[in-house]
Amino acid sequence: MREKKKRSRYFLILIMTVVLILSSCQKKDVTTQIVFTTGLRRNELLKIENVICSKAEGSLLLVNTKNKYEEAFGEEIWKQQIDGISFETYVKDMVKNQMGQLKCMSFYAQEENIVLSEEKKAAIEQAASLYFQELTEEEKEGLDITQEDIEQIYTDYAVAEELYEYLTKDVEEEISDAEAKVIVVQHIYKDTTNLTEEEKQNAYQTMEKIEQNLKETDADFNYLAQEYSDDSKIEYIFGRGEMDIAFEEAAFALEQGEISDIVESSSGYHIIKCINDYDMERTNSNKKTVLEKRKREAFDAVYAKFIKNLLTEFNQKVWDKMKIEDYKEMHNNNLYEVYQQNVQVE
């Protein structure tokens, strides 16, 4: 994960992806009360306990997300569908989740008496001013936004960082080489996912012949993989928990230069050759990933319990009237980048 000024934190993954209360509230293990209400004001979209997300904040998050997608995929992306729903609905659901995640974490921080330093507040004010100045008058008018609205979003970002740090402060940061070890392997693969039993037997017999060839001759593994494998990719570099369990266990059991017997995974047959049983550079780099995963799991365990009983009100009527096409003339999409460049994580 790339760092800037200090480091990007897991809360950004939480915020910038769809993992929230409003989409997960239908799951049986979540008891958060969701009320779709007309009790909120016209300029209010969401209320979680005593924390409110304004329509202006929602608009700003929506237009930034919209422009990010258009920058990556072009305006034609809005003609696409995902699982039978329009891409606009998909993106709006994502932004709704993003709003809720920010406000849930803001309320949680209140409950834990987490406050920002005066230095952080000043940095947020400066960043909000810089971003506000980048907006055209048409964009300001179209979003009906003020600098204070931007400051609120940046404050929510900063509070989320502080909360994440607070809830993961006791996580053990020492990661062993064994836990983070990264290996390099090659494999020859026969895909059996859609084969009949007879076809699977034929595939296995082919692999037996390849295995015999490797054991009895000096046949080149890479050549045989190119010739017979159903996978166009021959070499894989990975750590624990990244591959099919059967494949992973067999691969990690090999020493450098060793070749496995035939291994059956959930998708087919493999013969695996270990190219490097301990990639030191990648292992050291992977320790950061393993630590972040450990922190994420610790955060999730506590956070999931907290959000279960929160009362959430959502102004569906106002939200339904907010259309992607309403923001077609707005092209500023660096909301988070300005924050990241100007508000340093302590």
Side-chain angles (χ1 to χ4, degrees), residues 176-186 236-256 258 260 263 272-279 283 286 290:
S176 68
D177 285 353
E179 188 176 0
K181 186 166 77 166
V182 173
I183 63 175
V184 183
V185 303
Q186 293 179 344
Y236 284 86
I237 302 169
F238 57 93
R240 294 190 181 278
E242 298 180 33
M243 306 292 281
D244 177 278
I245 186 63
F247 182 93
E248 181 180 304
E249 288 180 354
F252 270 90
L254 298 173
E255 295 183 359
Q256 189 161 315
E258 272 193 308
S260 73
V263 176
I272 306 167
K273 180 178 181 178
C274 181
I275 304 303
N276 187 344
D277 61 1
Y278 175 61
D279 188 315
T283 295
N286 192 41
V290 173

Side-chain angles (χ1 to χ4, degrees), residues 289-325:
T289 303
V290 173
L291 175 59
E292 213 46 54
K293 180 182 178 183
R294 185 183 289 179
K295 287 191 172 188
R296 180 173 70 244
E297 290 170 349
F299 176 87
D300 286 348
V302 179
Y303 182 74
K305 292 178 182 178
F306 177 80
I307 68 172
K308 279 189 175 182
N309 296 305
L310 296 183
L311 175 62
T312 298
E313 299 176 76
F314 187 71
N315 199 333
Q316 190 69 46
K317 185 176 181 180
V318 170
W319 184 243
D320 287 342
K321 291 180 179 179
M322 296 168 63
K323 307 293 184 183
I324 291 292
E325 64 183 21

Side-chain angles (χ1 to χ4, degrees), residues 165-199:
E165 291 296 326
Y166 173 76
L167 294 179
T168 61
K169 66 181 185 300
D170 295 327
V171 171
E172 174 57 51
E173 296 196 2
E174 187 67 31
I175 307 295
S176 68
D177 285 353
E179 188 176 0
K181 186 166 77 166
V182 173
I183 63 175
V184 183
V185 303
Q186 293 179 344
H187 80 147
I188 301 169
Y189 170 65
K190 283 298 176 185
D191 185 353
T192 62
T193 49
N194 295 309
L195 301 186
T196 64
E197 285 304 314
E198 182 179 354
E199 290 171 331

Side-chain angles (χ1 to χ4, degrees), residues 134 159 232 317:
E134 289 184 3
V159 165
S232 59
K317 185 176 181 180

Side-chain angles (χ1 to χ4, degrees), residues 278-289:
Y278 175 61
D279 188 315
M280 182 181 297
E281 183 178 347
R282 288 190 174 96
T283 295
N284 288 333
S285 177
N286 192 41
K287 288 182 180 182
K288 296 178 183 178
T289 303

Side-chain angles (χ1 to χ4, degrees), residues 55-73:
K55 180 183 176 183
E57 292 173 63
S59 294
L60 187 57
L61 293 171
L62 183 59
V63 74
N64 269 264
T65 305
K66 162 194 171 290
N67 290 336
K68 289 289 187 185
Y69 275 106
E70 288 185 357
E71 183 178 57
F73 304 108

Side-chain angles (χ1 to χ4, degrees), residues 82-100:
I82 294 181
D83 295 331
I85 66 171
S86 70
F87 198 72
E88 176 174 0
T89 299
Y90 171 81
V91 168
K92 286 188 69 178
D93 283 346
M94 185 193 311
V95 173
K96 182 168 68 174
N97 295 338
Q98 183 181 346
M99 290 187 296

